[in-house]
Amino acid sequence: MEKEKQYSSPYEFKGKIPLKQAIPLGLQHVLAMFVGNLTPLLVIMSACSAIGGADDFAAIQVSLLQNAMLVAGIVTLIQLFSIGPIGGQVPIIMGTSSGFIGVFSSIANVMGGGVIAYGAMMGASIIGGLFETVLGAFLKPLRRFFPAIVTGTVVLSIGLSLISVGVGSFGGGSSANDYGSIENLLVGLIVTIIILVLKHGAKGMASSSCILIGIICGYIICAIMGLCLETTAVNADGVEYTKAWVLNWNKVADASWFAVPKILPVKPVFDLRAILPVSIMFIVTAVETVGDISGCVEGGLGREATDKELSGGVMCDGMGSAFAALFGVLPNTSFSQNVGLVTMTKIVNRTALGCGAVFLILCGLCPKLSAIVSIMPQSVLGGAAIIMFSSIVLSGIQLITKDPMTSRNMTIVSVALGLGYGLGANSTVLAGLPSYVTLIFGGSGIVPAALVAIILNILLPKDKKPATEQ
């Protein structure tokens, strides 16, 4: 007689693993994406309130941040287990996309900021999300436009764009007054060393949970530093500030234990000035998601993603983004940071990732839990991020080199990264062009690199097969 519970390895996608093993493995993913999941919301709310309606945003900020965690958890579960055709059943963590920051910032300027402009972003996200869902449903006939050379280039550009983010966190956060200080660099370095030692020097759970253990050690180190070192300093303008590595336990104490999420905290506004550029971004997001899923499946499962996985994953992106807008949250898409974690640890079990998703939902219901994670110093996160993000680069290289590096393939990769990624990384070169061009191509190397790779793959003649293969 078969056992009722069939346990499997954390390196297998389907099957159960014990909760004592699944919970810490899932927490790794939450810690890797927590700050990144909230940052886009903070940036866009700041952009809207700076122009007008600061008081209105102050009243709803806590609700929006709370909803961001709840939505990320729910959409992740749909991606892992699927509802009908929606969800790719792939080891992907979903979260608030930072790819829309450039477009939404421009919309805030065009529409005068305030809650009205934010509502227009939510309306555009609903329309754009439904559009991406339809695109995902018809992804199979479009798959020929996304061979390994294209998706590999996209994954590579994702990794390259994230490395600078990881290094910025390593130094304490680029906006910190003590950015690049010895304390911040030392904390980041120690966390990195702990992760490497555990990953390659330990076995079992210690090795599998190396990211989580490294981050917990980072908390402990910062707590000890707070007892031994000065926690404040004075900047060049004579203003006193708290150092970036200091743990703000007051934020945890002030947070409530339970709060009910609010639906429609911001009323959606449907305005073409927002809908058109956001819809274009959703096309690019679909390509990025194809790249994320391809990189995750290649790096974690050692094979190429199937049509069903890619289609379901993109549809989950679209529906998840429309669902997020109902809670006042920016589009929810596949999180590249967690792709790096999967490719590094090879932990792909959906029970473990599902535990992480449940924790995200609990954070959305319990602000005190989310506060504990939100006080994580950037240097602690950076110590783990530089390893994870570099793993994404290697996944992209693996995809690119699955096929022979012919003259055609070398041209696609070099031009896409050189021209496409170069334009995205140096968007000021586009200053003389219409504003919508900067909206689409500026601020991120992922968008132009993806489009250039797709176009070149279509236009360049295919390599002729050797006579022996004909």
Side-chain angles (χ1 to χ4, degrees):
M1 186 174 69
E2 294 185 2
K3 293 181 179 179
E4 291 184 6
K5 293 184 179 180
Q6 295 294 329
Y7 291 105
S8 63
S9 163
Y11 305 105
E12 298 173 13
F13 179 65
K14 294 185 178 181
K16 296 180 180 179
I17 60 175
L19 285 179
K20 65 180 181 180
Q21 186 179 23
I23 290 174
L25 295 178
L27 284 177
Q28 287 191 134
H29 284 277
V30 175
L31 293 172
M33 59 83 71
F34 196 93
V35 175
N37 188 49
L38 299 180
T39 299
L41 267 174
L42 294 171
V43 171
I44 296 304
M45 283 191 291
S46 176
C48 289
S49 60
I51 301 172
D55 293 338
D56 294 332
F57 275 104
I60 62 173
Q61 185 182 48
V62 173
S63 294
L64 295 183
L65 294 175
Q66 176 188 349
N67 288 355
M69 306 312 301
L70 178 76
V71 169
I74 293 173
V75 179
T76 296
L77 289 177
I78 295 173
Q79 186 71 281
L80 291 172
F81 295 93
S82 78
I83 297 178
I86 301 173
Q89 294 194 31
V90 287
I92 290 282
I93 299 293
M94 308 294 285
T96 309
S97 173
S98 60
F100 287 80
I101 289 177
V103 173
F104 285 155
S105 296
S106 178
I107 291 171
N109 291 325
V110 170
M111 299 191 66
V115 175
I116 297 297
Y118 194 87
M121 298 173 198
M122 296 301 100
S125 295
I126 293 173
I127 300 298
L130 296 176
F131 171 62
E132 186 183 6
T133 304
V134 174
L135 186 64
F138 293 96
L139 192 65
K140 185 174 181 178
L142 299 174
R143 178 76 187 273
R144 63 191 180 91
F145 297 114
F146 308 111
I149 194 68
V150 171
T151 53
T153 302
V154 174
V155 172
L156 181 56
S157 65
I158 290 170
L160 291 173
S161 66
L162 287 173
I163 284 177
S164 61
V165 177
V167 173
S169 295
F170 192 91
S174 55
S175 61
N177 282 289
D178 59 339
Y179 177 61
S181 68
I182 294 176
E183 295 104 315
N184 285 323
L185 296 176
L186 186 62
V187 169
L189 181 61
I190 293 174
V191 171
T192 300
I193 292 172
I194 291 172
I195 292 171
L196 291 175
V197 169
L198 291 173
K199 175 64 180 174
H200 298 285
K203 295 180 180 179
M205 279 297 295
S207 177
S208 300
S209 305
C210 59
I211 298 291
L212 175 62
I213 297 172
I215 289 176
I216 291 174
C217 289
Y219 270 87
I220 295 172
I221 291 167
C222 290
I224 295 173
M225 288 171 60
L227 299 175
C228 304
L229 303 175
E230 291 290 336
T231 58
T232 60
V234 178
N235 62 20
D237 298 324
V239 178
E240 188 178 57
Y241 65 88
T242 302
K243 295 181 179 179
W245 51 266
V246 176
L247 297 170
N248 182 14
W249 294 111
N250 290 332
K251 189 174 182 180
V252 179
D254 294 340
S256 59
W257 282 103
F258 179 79
V260 178
K262 296 180 181 178
I263 300 177
L264 292 177
V266 178
K267 183 180 179 181
V269 176
F270 298 96
D271 192 305
L272 279 177
R273 290 176 295 176
I275 292 172
L276 291 178
V278 169
S279 295
I280 294 173
M281 271 304 305
F282 269 104
I283 298 175
V284 176
T285 294
V287 178
E288 182 179 349
T289 299
V290 169
D292 276 342
I293 294 175
S294 298
C296 196
V297 172
E298 174 69 31
L301 299 173
R303 61 172 175 82
E304 283 194 43
T306 64
D307 291 331
K308 184 178 180 181
E309 288 170 337
L310 292 174
S311 178
V314 172
M315 291 178 72
C316 183
D317 245 33
M319 288 301 295
S321 296
F323 174 72
L326 298 178
F327 287 84
V329 178
L330 305 186
N332 260 238
T333 64
S334 58
F335 237 59
S336 299
Q337 289 93 321
N338 296 87
V339 175
L341 182 54
V342 167
T343 56
M344 177 192 168
T345 64
K346 309 299 181 185
I347 303 297
V348 295
N349 185 271
R350 68 177 175 183
T351 300
L353 273 66
C355 286
V358 170
F359 186 77
L360 285 172
I361 293 173
L362 291 177
C363 286
L365 298 173
C366 179
K368 195 172 287 289
L369 276 178
S370 60
I372 292 174
V373 184
S374 67
I375 65 171
M376 183 197 310
Q378 284 287 299
S379 54
V380 173
L381 177 63
I386 57 172
I387 301 175
M388 295 186 296
F389 297 166
S390 298
S391 297
I392 299 177
V393 173
L394 293 179
S395 293
I397 294 173
Q398 285 180 324
L399 280 169
I400 291 171
T401 55
K402 283 186 73 71
D403 298 322
M405 286 304 291
T406 61
S407 176
R408 177 181 184 273
N409 287 350
M410 289 179 66
T411 298
I412 291 174
V413 176
S414 59
V415 175
L417 291 179
L419 179 60
Y421 187 76
L423 286 175
N426 299 279
S427 57
T428 52
V429 78
L430 304 173
L433 299 178
S435 59
Y436 66 85
V437 176
T438 305
L439 271 177
I440 299 170
F441 292 97
S444 170
I446 301 169
V447 175
L451 293 181
V452 171
I454 293 170
I455 292 171
L456 288 179
N457 180 62
I458 296 172
L459 297 180
L460 293 180
K462 305 289 184 181
D463 292 311
K464 293 182 180 180
K465 293 183 178 180
T468 54
E469 296 182 13
Q470 293 181 350

